[in-house]
């Protein structure tokens, strides 16, 4: 009796099938990677467009706010009591405080009261007010522990208190003191030092934090 050999026992056929499967798998992986790369490029382009659109919208809002501030504070600007630069109200310290003092003078209180209404009119519900104090580089005399940083911070806080007394919501206004560390001009003359002694009031959008985010922090 003779036995028949099976026709499918050729090992080369198995290698051929495996090779075809591997090539197919490589092609599928290549196509998937190319598709993913294209999708990432589209997402990146879309993100860049959204960022540019957001920036343009912010510039538009800032320009409208600055125009409204300029109109609302026209009287104080024309009187030379304040200046409006880059959307920030600039006030010389000599208009507000005594030399080396942090408490507002009666004249200083009138200056702040004169601009408070204009500020309120220019603010939107999403805005907050930042009051910043600045000094020149001459060390504070008479004390080794009380510095220009203390002086600038106390001046900013007292301006904040006056604005709150004029009706500003306390949760939408804050103070910061920079001492001599953010000069507007080089401290190389008495005139420049005088200009560096100032208070700035800026309007900025409020970044809201949810209650859940606060608990995480």
């Amino acid at each position: 009796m003779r036995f028949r050999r099976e026709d499918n026992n050729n090992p080369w056929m198995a290698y051929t099938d495996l090779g075809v499967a591997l090539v197919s798998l490589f092609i599928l992986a290549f196509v998937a990677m190319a598709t993913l790369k294209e999708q990432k490029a589209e997402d990146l382009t879309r993100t860049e467009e959204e960022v540019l659109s957001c920036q343009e919208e912010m510039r538009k809002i800032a320009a409208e706010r600055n125009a409204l501030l300029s109109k609302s504070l026209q009287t104080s600007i024309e009187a030379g009591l304040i200046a409006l630069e880059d959307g920030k109200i600039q006030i010389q310290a000599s208009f507000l405080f005594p030399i080396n003092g942090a408490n507002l003078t009666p004249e200083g209180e009138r200056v702040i009261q004169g601009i408070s209404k204009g500020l309120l009119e220019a603010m939107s519900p999403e805005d907050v007010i930042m009051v910043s104090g600045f000094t020149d580089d001459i060390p504070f005399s008479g004390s080794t522990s009380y510095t220009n940083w203390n002086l600038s911070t106390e001046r900013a806080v007292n301006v904040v208190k006056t604005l709150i007394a004029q009706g500003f919501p306390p949760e939408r206004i804050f103070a910061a003191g920079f001492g001599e560390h953010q000069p507007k001009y080089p401290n190389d003359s008495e005139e420049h030092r005088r200009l560096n002694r100032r208070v700035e009031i800026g309007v900025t959008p409020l970044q809201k934090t949810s209650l859940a985010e606060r608990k995480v922090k």
Side-chain angles (χ1 to χ4, degrees):
M1 178 184 287
R2 289 194 297 180
F3 295 93
R4 294 182 57 188
R5 294 187 60 178
E6 295 295 329
D7 294 335
N8 59 352
N9 284 341
N10 188 348
W12 293 107
M13 293 297 295
Y15 287 128
T16 300
D17 293 341
L18 180 60
V20 171
L22 289 174
V23 170
S24 300
L25 183 61
F26 174 78
I27 292 174
L28 288 174
F30 179 79
V31 172
M33 290 178 64
T35 303
L36 181 60
K37 184 176 181 181
E38 182 179 354
Q39 183 63 43
K40 286 184 176 180
E42 291 177 358
D43 292 342
L44 182 60
T45 301
R46 188 180 302 112
T47 301
E48 291 176 347
E49 291 175 351
E50 291 173 353
V51 169
L52 291 175
S53 176
C54 182
Q55 290 176 341
E56 181 61 30
E57 183 65 21
M58 290 178 65
R59 282 192 290 267
K60 181 180 178 181
I61 293 174
E64 292 175 351
R65 183 193 298 118
N66 293 346
L68 185 56
L69 272 174
S70 180
K71 181 179 180 180
S72 300
L73 303 174
Q74 184 176 0
T75 301
S76 297
I77 293 173
E78 291 178 349
L81 297 175
I82 66 172
L84 190 62
E85 299 180 10
D86 298 326
K88 294 181 179 180
I89 301 171
Q90 310 269 341
I91 314 173
Q92 296 304 309
S94 58
F95 292 163
L96 302 175
F97 310 99
I99 297 175
N100 291 335
N103 294 322
L104 285 162
T105 63
E107 293 79 8
E109 289 186 0
R110 283 193 288 270
V111 171
I112 299 302
Q113 292 168 2
I115 66 176
S116 61
K117 182 180 179 181
L119 270 173
L120 284 170
E121 291 175 351
M123 289 178 64
S124 69
E126 296 80 22
D127 291 335
V128 295
I129 294 292
M130 175 177 177
V131 180
S132 305
F134 304 86
T135 68
D136 58 28
D137 63 341
I138 298 177
F140 193 86
S141 60
S143 175
T144 57
S145 60
Y146 192 89
T147 67
N148 283 328
W149 230 328
N150 298 105
L151 180 63
S152 64
T153 303
E154 287 188 19
R155 285 178 169 179
V157 168
N158 286 332
V159 171
V160 164
K161 290 179 178 179
T162 302
L163 287 172
I164 291 174
Q166 293 299 306
F168 274 84
E171 68 276 8
R172 295 176 59 193
I173 187 169
F174 64 100
F178 293 90
E180 70 268 26
H181 301 291
Q182 295 289 336
K184 188 176 180 180
Y185 301 96
N187 284 293
D188 54 8
S189 68
E190 177 54 37
E191 176 62 15
H192 282 173
R193 288 190 175 93
R194 183 184 69 82
L195 294 173
N196 285 334
R197 298 190 293 268
R198 68 196 190 279
V199 168
E200 292 182 358
I201 302 176
V203 183
T204 184
L206 175 65
Q207 294 183 350
K208 295 184 178 180
T209 303
S210 65
L211 182 60
E213 290 175 329
R214 294 175 187 173
K215 290 181 177 179
V216 170
K217 294 179 180 179

